[in-house]
Amino acid sequence: MAHSVEPSSSLSFTSSSRLSNGSVSHNVCASHCPDLGPNLEAISLSKLSSNLEQLLDDSDCDYSDADIIVEGTPVVVHRCILASRSKFFHELFKREKGPQEKEGKLKYLMSDFLPYGKVGYEAFLIFLRYVYTGKLKPSPMEVSTCVDNVCAHDACRPAINFAVELMYASSIFQMPDLVLLFQRRLLNFVGKAFVEDVIPILIVAFHCQLSQLVTECIERVARSDLDYVSIDKEIPPELSEKIKLLRHSAQHDVEDNASLVDPLHQKRITRIHKALDSDDVELVKLLLSESDITLDEANALHYAAAYCDPKLFSEVLNLGLTNVNLRNSRGYTVLHIAAMRKEPSIIVSLLKKGALASELTLHGQSAVSISRRLTRPKDYHAKTEQGKETNKDRMCIDLLEREMLRNPMSGDASMSFQITGDDLQRKLQYLENRVALAILFFPAEAKVAMDIAEAETKGSGGNFREVDLNETPIMQNKRLVSKVEALMKTVETGRRYFPHCSEVLDKFMEDELPDLCYLEKGSQEEQRMKTTRYMELKDNVQKAFNKDKANFCHSGISPSSSSSSLNNNLVHGKARKV
C-alpha cells in the first residue's frame, strides 16, 4: 500500500524516499538538494530574525522579564536572549538578580553598566535590535545628523557621537562583530571630521582598546593645528604625550625655529590659565601686573569660554582688558569657542560687549553654523513644557540667528536714572513682578538674562523695601536704586535677545495684571468679569506670540520652543500674585 505524503508548504525542510521494506525515509532536503540548502538556511534565519523582532515591536506580545532604564526611559528586554548573545549579560544575569519591580520584572540602570562614556536611548535600541535580529538598522536621523542645512552629515558631531555611543555599547556588552563594524565606521570619520570632532573617537578607541583606531586618531591630531592647551585639557595624558612626541619628531628637522615658544613666556601663560581654573580673578590681575603678558596674549577669553564657569568668564570679560573679537592661532574668535561650548550666557555676554556674529573661521563657518553643526534635530525641535528649561542647543542657535539679523546696537543701553521716593518703589515693584513672570513663563531665558545682568538668582529674592533701622535714608535709597538698575538690565537684556518672550510679558504687564491676579475675590459678577477679561488677555497674548512666531519662521528663525504655550494653571481661576 502506497504511503501518502502530507501536503506541505512550497518550501519543506524534508523529502521522502521509499526504502526496500516499503517505509518512507524523511531526509533533510539540504543533503539531497545542495543548491537549495543554503537558501533554506537563510530563509530560516530570516524568519527567526523576524519572529524575534516582533518581541520588540508588538506590544501585545510582551513576554519580557526585565527593564533596562536608559535616559530615564524603561526598555523591555528578555534576559534569555541577551544572555545567549552577549557574554556580558550572561555573566550579569548569572551573578545578580537586579532590583525587583511590582509587576515582577527585574530592573537595571544603564548608567550602572558604563564605567566610562554614554549610551543613549536611541543608540541602545539600535544595539538591542541587532542583538535580537542580527540586523543593523539605519541610524535615526533625529539623533545622528545635525540641523545645518548644508551639512552632508558624513562627519558632523551628532553623526560621530552616535557612532561612538554604539561603539561603547558594542564593546561594553562584548559584541565583537559589532565592534569591528563600528571601528570601520569611525575610521572613515577620522579623515573627514574637524580635528576637535576626532577627540571623542580617540577617547572611545582608547577605552575600547582599539589600537588601529587609536593610532589613526593620534596621527590625525598630531598633523593638525590643534593647540597644546586643548590637547592637554581634552585628551587623556598618555595619549597627549604620544601626540606631542609625534609632533616633535615631525618638526625636529624644520629649519625655521622662529615659531618655537619662549619657555618663560609659555610658563606665564600657563599660570594665568591655572588661575582661571581656580576661579581666581584677583590672582589673574596679580599675574598680569607682575609680567608683560596680556590677557589677549594668553588667549584668556578663549580659555575661559571653553573651560571655565560662565560667571568667571563674565568677570574676566568685564575687566575690559581684552579684545572680544580676537582670533586665536587657529582662527577662532571667542564667540566661535562659545558656540562650541553651547553656553547661552557666555554667548549673550559676548554679544553685549560687541562680539561680531558674522565673523567666519578659516573654514568659512560662522558661530551660528558651528552651533547648528553640533545640534541634533531631536534637541532642536524638542518641545519644552511650560515652566521647564529650554534646550540650550536651541537657545544658542536662536540667539546667534537673531544677532545676525538684527540691526547692530551701539554699546549698552544706559541704565542710569534719577528717581526717588514713591517713584522708586513703584519702579521696583513693577520690575520685580515682571522678572518674576519671566521666571514663571520662560525660566531658561530668564536665567540667562539675569546671569548677564548680574542679578539675584531668584530675580526678586529678598525684600528690598523693608527698612533697616541702622541704615540711613541715603544708603537705603542707594541700595534700592542698585536693585532697580540690576532688574532693568535684566529686562533690557531679555528684550534684546528674547524678543518674543518679552512681548508676551509686556502684554501681561500692560493689562490689569494686579486685579486679574485675584480672580477669586469680589462678587460673583466681578469674578466672572475678571475671569472673562483674563481669558481674553491670554487669548490676545497667544495670538501675538503666534504672529511673532510666524514672523520668525518667515525669516528662517524659529522662536524658542519653551515659549510655545502659556501657563495653563493660571487660566482655571487659580492665578496667583507674583
Side-chain angles (χ1 to χ4, degrees):
M1 181 177 178
H3 293 272
S4 61
V5 179
E6 294 294 330
S8 63
S9 61
S10 59
L11 292 173
S12 174
F13 284 93
T14 62
S15 62
S16 301
S17 60
R18 188 178 301 278
L19 301 180
S20 59
N21 62 2
S23 63
V24 177
S25 172
H26 297 279
N27 299 316
V28 177
C29 180
S31 63
H32 287 272
C33 307
D35 293 337
L36 191 58
N39 292 333
L40 285 174
E41 183 177 0
I43 292 172
S44 299
L45 290 175
S46 178
K47 287 184 176 181
L48 176 62
S49 174
S50 298
N51 291 336
L52 290 177
E53 191 170 24
Q54 289 181 2
L55 295 176
L56 296 175
D57 295 335
D58 192 350
S59 59
D60 294 332
C61 301
D62 184 8
Y63 309 113
S64 61
D65 57 358
D67 285 341
I68 297 179
I69 310 301
V70 188
E71 295 181 333
T73 303
V75 178
V76 297
V77 297
H78 306 77
R79 287 181 297 154
C80 59
I81 297 178
L82 293 185
S84 66
R85 294 277 282 149
S86 163
K87 184 178 180 180
F88 173 91
F89 285 111
H90 175 75
E91 296 297 328
L92 173 70
F93 299 144
K94 184 170 66 173
R95 73 172 178 268
E96 64 179 52
K97 295 296 184 180
Q100 196 77 20
E101 290 291 277
K102 292 181 180 179
E103 63 271 20
K105 287 186 180 181
L106 299 177
K107 177 181 177 182
Y108 300 89
L109 297 177
M110 173 64 72
S111 57
D112 293 341
F113 301 154
L114 307 177
Y116 49 79
K118 168 184 176 269
V119 176
Y121 176 76
E122 290 82 5
F124 184 64
L125 289 185
I126 293 290
F127 169 82
L128 193 65
R129 195 166 291 273
Y130 179 83
V131 171
Y132 276 62
T133 69
K135 300 175 183 178
L136 189 64
K137 295 291 185 179
S139 300
M141 296 289 286
E142 67 269 16
V143 291
S144 63
T145 62
C146 67
V147 295
D148 187 354
N149 295 331
V150 299
C151 180
H153 309 305
D154 57 347
C156 57
R157 180 61 75 89
I160 290 174
N161 285 346
F162 194 72
V164 164
E165 289 181 23
L166 286 168
M167 173 60 83
Y168 273 131
S170 304
S171 175
I172 290 171
F173 300 139
Q174 301 178 34
M175 299 287 290
D177 48 344
L178 270 186
V179 169
L180 291 175
L181 189 152
F182 287 113
Q183 180 176 230
R184 292 194 297 269
R185 183 174 296 184
L186 291 173
L187 280 169
N188 186 51
F189 284 137
V190 173
K192 299 178 181 179
F194 290 118
V195 64
E196 49 265 35
D197 295 333
V198 174
I199 293 176
I201 302 176
L202 175 57
I203 293 175
V204 72
F206 172 70
H207 286 305
C208 297
Q209 300 180 357
L210 306 173
S211 56
Q212 180 187 0
L213 188 55
V214 167
T215 300
E216 289 285 339
C217 291
I218 287 177
E219 292 179 353
R220 171 74 171 85
V221 175
R223 294 193 308 268
S224 74
D225 60 354
L226 189 65
D227 56 273
Y228 284 111
V229 172
S230 299
I231 291 173
D232 288 334
K233 294 287 290 186
E234 301 175 28
I235 298 177
E238 50 265 60
L239 298 179
S240 63
E241 289 302 318
K242 291 182 180 180
I243 293 171
K244 292 175 184 177
L245 288 174
L246 191 58
R247 274 191 180 179
H248 180 73
S249 62
Q251 297 172 355
H252 183 70
D253 297 327
V254 177
E255 296 181 1
D256 183 12
N257 292 325
S259 61
L260 296 179
V261 178
D262 176 17
L264 180 59
H265 184 87
Q266 186 59 44
K267 185 177 181 179
R268 290 171 174 170
I269 290 176
T270 302
R271 286 178 177 173
I272 292 176
H273 291 170
K274 289 183 177 179
L276 292 172
D277 287 333
S278 302
D279 292 346
D280 196 338
V281 177
E282 294 302 319
L283 180 56
V284 172
K285 294 179 183 178
L286 180 61
L287 292 173
L288 292 175
S289 66
E290 291 179 347
S291 71
D292 57 352
I293 299 292
T294 67
L295 289 179
D296 283 346
E297 288 178 299
N299 284 323
L301 270 187
H302 290 81
Y303 187 90
Y307 305 115
C308 297
D309 185 85
K311 290 184 179 179
L312 175 83
F313 176 85
S314 295
E315 291 181 29
V316 176
L317 183 63
N318 290 334
L319 292 176
L321 302 176
T322 56
N323 174 10
V324 294
N325 291 303
L326 178 72
R327 292 179 179 271
N328 63 11
S329 60
R330 303 186 62 211
Y332 289 134
T333 67
V334 185
L335 191 60
H336 294 148
I337 300 297
M340 296 178 188
R341 169 83 175 267
K342 296 192 290 188
E343 178 54 55
S345 61
I346 293 179
I347 290 175
V348 173
S349 295
L350 287 167
L351 295 177
K352 282 180 68 67
K353 291 294 185 179
L356 299 176
S358 58
E359 290 286 331
L360 303 179
T361 68
L362 300 180
H363 302 289
Q365 287 190 303
S366 64
V368 68
S369 62
I370 290 174
S371 189
R372 279 185 163 276
R373 198 174 180 276
L374 296 173
T375 303
R376 307 181 303 176
K378 176 184 177 180
D379 299 325
Y380 184 80
H381 298 294
K383 293 182 178 179
T384 304
E385 295 181 15
Q386 183 67 43
K388 293 188 177 181
E389 288 197 358
T390 309
N391 181 276
K392 284 188 175 182
D393 300 41
R394 174 62 177 269
M395 194 185 299
C396 289
I397 293 174
D398 283 354
L399 286 169
L400 292 167
E401 284 182 333
R402 290 171 190 151
E403 182 66 15
M404 292 283 283
L405 292 179
R406 77 172 188 87
N407 293 325
M409 296 179 65
S410 56
D412 292 335
S414 175
M415 297 294 173
S416 61
F417 52 89
Q418 298 293 330
I419 53 176
T420 57
D422 293 340
D423 288 339
L424 179 59
Q425 296 287 354
R426 283 193 294 269
K427 187 74 173 179
L428 179 59
Q429 183 178 12
Y430 171 86
L431 292 170
E432 284 181 332
N433 286 339
R434 196 182 192 287
V435 171
L437 274 176
I439 295 172
L440 177 65
F441 288 150
F442 315 106
E445 291 86 342
K447 184 178 185 302
V448 170
M450 287 188 294
D451 286 344
I452 301 308
E454 300 176 353
E456 295 286 337
T457 303
K458 294 184 179 180
S460 56
N463 187 356
F464 288 87
R465 292 184 292 274
E466 71 179 10
V467 177
D468 183 352
L469 297 178
N470 297 320
E471 188 177 43
T472 66
I474 295 178
M475 292 174 59
Q476 182 187 21
N477 193 72
K478 183 177 180 180
R479 177 170 56 85
L480 294 179
V481 168
S482 177
K483 175 61 177 178
V484 170
E485 286 180 340
L487 291 171
M488 285 185 65
K489 200 170 186 179
T490 299
V491 172
E492 291 303 320
T493 300
R495 283 188 173 132
R496 176 174 176 180
Y497 295 105
F498 307 109
H500 57 283
C501 300
S502 296
E503 181 178 344
V504 173
L505 295 174
D506 288 339
K507 289 288 184 180
F508 270 91
M509 296 303 296
E510 289 171 3
D511 207 275
E512 308 96 313
L513 181 62
D515 291 335
L516 295 178
C517 285
Y518 296 98
L519 300 182
E520 74 282 2
K521 291 190 176 183
S523 65
Q524 291 186 352
E525 179 64 19
E526 288 175 338
Q527 291 181 34
R528 186 188 64 79
M529 292 177 62
K530 287 181 181 180
T531 302
T532 302
R533 180 68 188 106
Y534 187 87
M535 295 299 293
E536 290 175 354
L537 173 61
K538 181 180 180 297
D539 185 58
N540 290 336
V541 170
Q542 188 65 54
K543 289 179 180 178
F545 171 74
N546 290 336
K547 181 180 178 181
D548 191 31
K549 179 179 178 180
N551 291 336
F552 273 112
C553 294
H554 182 71
S555 60
I557 300 176
S558 297
S560 171
S561 58
S562 74
S563 307
S564 61
S565 63
L566 297 175
N567 192 332
N568 291 327
N569 293 332
L570 297 178
V571 178
H572 302 290
K574 297 297 181 182
R576 58 186 178 87
K577 185 176 181 180
V578 179

